Amino acid sequence: MSFSVLPIRDRFGVKPGRLFIDGAWRDGGESRFDQIHPATNEVVTQLAEAGVSGVDAAVAAARRAFDKGPWRKMGARERKRLLQPVVERIYAAEEEIAYLQTLDNGMPITFSRGGRVSAKVAGDMFDHYAGWIDKITGETFPHYTDANDMHFMTFRDPVGVVAAITPWNGPVMTFAMKVAPALACGNTVVLKPSELASLAALKLADILAESDLPPGVFNLVTGGPVTGEALSTHPGVDKVSFTGSPVVGEKIYSTGGRNMKRLSLELGGKSAALVFPDTRDVRTAARNLMGLCSTFLSGQVCSTPTRALVHRSILDEFVHHAQEQVKEVRFGDPFDPATTSAPIISKRQVERVCGYIASGREQGARLVFGGDRPGGDLARGNWVNPTLFVDVDNRMRIAREEIFGPVLSVIAFDTEEEAVAIANDSEYGLSGGIYTTDLSRAFRVAREMHTGSVGINGYTVMPNSPAGGVKRSGIGREGGWSTVEEFTELKTVMLNLAA
């Protein structure tokens, strides 16, 4: 089966990427680099490496727009009026954005069109946060004593210039999760998409460029680590909102203290899903958990539960149904609706995933299936077959480190207390899952799990609910009112009416 993604590139007229700074597209950049499609390793286009000079120009534009432009002081009604047309433009461009996202990272087109990372969801997020603009309120406080003439109130001011850095695995959704609330709160933004996936972000930037936003309110720079470091450490940036690897996130955290930047960091995960013997359907639990590793982005999602903690009494049944699920996996052209799974994002990451699989075998885990790569025409792409390990000890590398590939580790447990202890024995704490019909147990275990979110008999993300991690999975929350708090500073004003 031979296929190429270049006809799709040509269909949508993908051109070399540019920078969007101070309300205009620029060809600038210190150099250019290739964006490569992971399903075939074909070069899709070239992108500008903004580098230090490009970042300086973008931050300067955002700084001017915040300090001297109208955006920060604009009335809520006017700011809302300018953002709401963006929603309709995103909806109108859904199909193109979906195809560009699949060009970016190989996500099967069915998910790009209709999944929780689709352009529709991005439009919903802009719609949600545009609706918050005239509802961002402060508080007043009652007198502490009868003789107190001081009246206390709070206001929420925008943080300032926001550096938004998005990952390759959800370029559309994370663009909206960061840019929409930041702009709604009156901030200005410099966004850098992943150097591995910039096409959908460039399209979304083009939609914002066609709006009536004042120049410099939104800016986009493309590039790799040099550009990312220049942006995250720039003294003109007041806040960094980053989604990506823990290694990079920890570096941002350590350097952010130099000028006390505000930080939101959504980093890695090694999430555990606990499958109890009273679950309504072991088959559904097994298919869901194996499917999250074998389909969609092939386990390349930080919230994916890659540790399945299964009660020993149903272990064999769980493994059987996991094997049955993998029979439905279809690799191939990501623009073919029959394709179920994405390739690994890069050759380097393929080597990393295969290294973890080798480590699992060396440390004594039992490989049930997978552990290899497909041959034939698929060999030219970055594909790794879905892999299941059992007899996994939680001290093994495959149970402790984030693999970011189609690998599920199954750990048996005997008691609820043991399961919770294993789940919490991790340096990560992004998400978790529970499969049970006992609601008392479900809420009890959910409260005991040390994670930012827990899904009971299912998991999803919505624009109006917060998501984020604890421990090495990051700090801060994205979604709902929590995001408004992240993108604003609380100011207390005291008024003496007796003066």
Side-chain angles (χ1 to χ4, degrees), residues 269-274 305-310 312 356 359-360 363-366 389-403 408-413 417-428 449 471:
K270 195 65 186 177
S271 301
L274 283 56
T306 54
R307 291 184 297 156
L309 278 54
V310 182
R312 202 175 303 276
Y356 275 109
S359 170
Q363 292 187 319
R366 178 163 62 89
F389 281 106
V390 297
D391 300 335
V392 176
D393 187 294
N394 201 51
R395 294 169 292 185
M396 295 177 180
R397 286 186 65 210
I398 58 172
R400 302 206 69 79
E401 300 178 21
E402 186 177 43
I403 299 174
L408 181 63
S409 297
V410 179
I411 303 172
F413 70 87
E417 294 74 19
E418 181 188 8
V420 171
I422 294 171
N424 288 338
D425 181 19
S426 173
E427 61 183 356
Y428 295 103
M449 293 179 73
K471 299 190 283 187

Side-chain angles (χ1 to χ4, degrees), residues 90 115 231 340 353 359 458 465:
I90 292 175
L231 180 58
T340 65
V353 171
S359 170
S465 65

Side-chain angles (χ1 to χ4, degrees), residues 15-265:
K15 299 180 178 65
R18 297 185 292 169
L19 312 179
F20 185 70
I21 299 174
D22 206 18
W25 288 101
R26 302 185 183 183
D27 290 325
E30 297 182 354
S31 61
R32 303 195 75 82
F33 63 96
D34 294 336
Q35 179 165 320
I36 298 172
H37 188 76
T40 59
N41 282 306
E42 295 170 295
V43 176
V44 176
T45 190
Q46 287 194 322
L47 302 170
E49 178 72 59
V52 174
S53 61
V55 168
D56 283 344
V59 173
R63 186 83 264 163
R64 284 192 302 272
F66 184 79
D67 292 340
K68 300 178 181 180
W71 186 249
R72 173 170 60 94
K73 298 180 181 180
M74 190 178 289
R77 181 178 180 182
E78 180 66 9
R79 195 186 306 149
K80 188 174 182 178
R81 184 189 68 79
L82 293 178
L83 276 182
Q84 283 183 321
V86 173
V87 178
E88 296 307 317
R89 290 190 179 106
I90 292 175
Y91 289 152
E94 276 185 49
E95 185 79 352
E96 181 178 357
I97 294 170
Y99 274 82
L100 291 175
Q101 180 168 243
T102 295
L103 267 179
D104 271 331
N105 58 21
M107 181 189 302
I109 191 62
T110 51
F111 292 101
S112 274
R113 279 173 166 163
R116 58 178 172 143
V117 292
S118 67
K120 171 67 166 59
V121 172
D124 290 347
M125 287 184 178
F126 269 90
D127 185 47
H128 176 74
Y129 290 108
W132 270 116
I133 293 174
D134 54 2
K135 303 172 186 67
I136 300 174
T137 59
E139 297 177 285
T140 60
F141 299 87
H143 288 162
Y144 196 69
T145 67
D146 292 339
N148 194 339
D149 290 321
M150 297 293 291
H151 291 253
F152 287 74
M153 63 202 79
T154 59
F155 296 85
R156 286 200 170 272
D157 294 338
V159 171
V161 176
V162 173
I165 304 175
T166 60
W168 58 263
N169 59 345
V172 173
M173 180 183 72
T174 53
F175 183 108
M177 287 180 73
K178 298 179 188 300
V179 175
L183 295 182
C185 292
N187 301 286
T188 58
V189 176
V190 180
L191 180 131
K192 189 197 90 69
S194 167
E195 64 272 25
L196 301 175
S198 298
L199 302 180
L202 286 164
K203 176 60 183 178
L204 289 166
D206 201 38
I207 288 173
L208 287 169
E210 294 170 355
S211 71
D212 293 325
L213 294 179
V217 167
F218 173 81
N219 309 270
L220 179 142
V221 293
T222 51
V226 172
T227 297
E229 183 172 2
L231 180 58
S232 65
T233 61
H234 200 288
V237 167
D238 300 298
K239 176 182 173 66
V240 178
S241 177
F242 171 82
T243 300
S245 75
V247 172
V248 176
E250 288 164 359
K251 188 173 182 181
I252 292 172
Y253 187 84
S254 66
T255 58
R258 294 175 186 170
N259 62 342
M260 299 303 292
K261 294 187 193 303
R262 302 300 184 255
L263 299 175
S264 298
L265 306 174

Side-chain angles (χ1 to χ4, degrees), residues 229-382:
E229 183 172 2
L231 180 58
S232 65
T233 61
H234 200 288
V237 167
D238 300 298
K239 176 182 173 66
V240 178
S241 177
F242 171 82
T243 300
S245 75
V247 172
V248 176
E250 288 164 359
K251 188 173 182 181
I252 292 172
Y253 187 84
S254 66
T255 58
R258 294 175 186 170
N259 62 342
M260 299 303 292
K261 294 187 193 303
R262 302 300 184 255
L263 299 175
S264 298
L265 306 174
E266 201 268 77
L267 309 178
K270 195 65 186 177
S271 301
L274 283 56
V275 185
F276 290 96
D278 61 3
T279 184
R280 178 172 284 108
D281 186 352
V282 177
R283 176 180 180 273
T284 297
R287 291 178 64 86
N288 284 353
L289 296 177
M290 192 68 238
L292 288 169
C293 289
S294 65
T295 58
F296 180 37
L297 279 168
S298 296
Q300 298 172 103
V301 179
C302 48
S303 60
T304 295
T306 54
R307 291 184 297 156
L309 278 54
V310 182
H311 193 272
R312 202 175 303 276
S313 65
I314 56 172
L315 182 61
D316 291 342
E317 185 180 0
F318 180 94
V319 172
H320 167 74
H321 290 303
Q323 286 179 295
E324 292 299 306
Q325 188 280 330
V326 169
K327 293 178 181 178
E328 300 171 11
V329 170
R330 298 290 181 270
F331 290 162
D333 183 353
F335 296 99
D336 182 348
T339 299
T340 65
S341 311
I344 304 302
I345 189 61
S346 67
K347 291 181 177 180
R348 179 180 178 183
Q349 181 62 14
V350 168
E351 294 175 359
R352 186 170 183 269
V353 171
C354 291
Y356 275 109
I357 292 171
S359 170
R361 299 168 107 166
E362 291 166 3
Q363 292 187 319
R366 178 163 62 89
L367 180 67
V368 179
F369 55 78
D372 55 356
R373 301 187 58 202
D377 190 57
L378 291 173
R380 66 193 177 106
N382 304 328

Side-chain angles (χ1 to χ4, degrees), residues 128-129 132 181 462-466 478-485:
H128 176 74
Y129 290 108
W132 270 116
M462 294 179 63
N464 58 356
S465 65
E478 292 182 311
W481 177 252
S482 297
T483 303
V484 173
E485 294 178 328

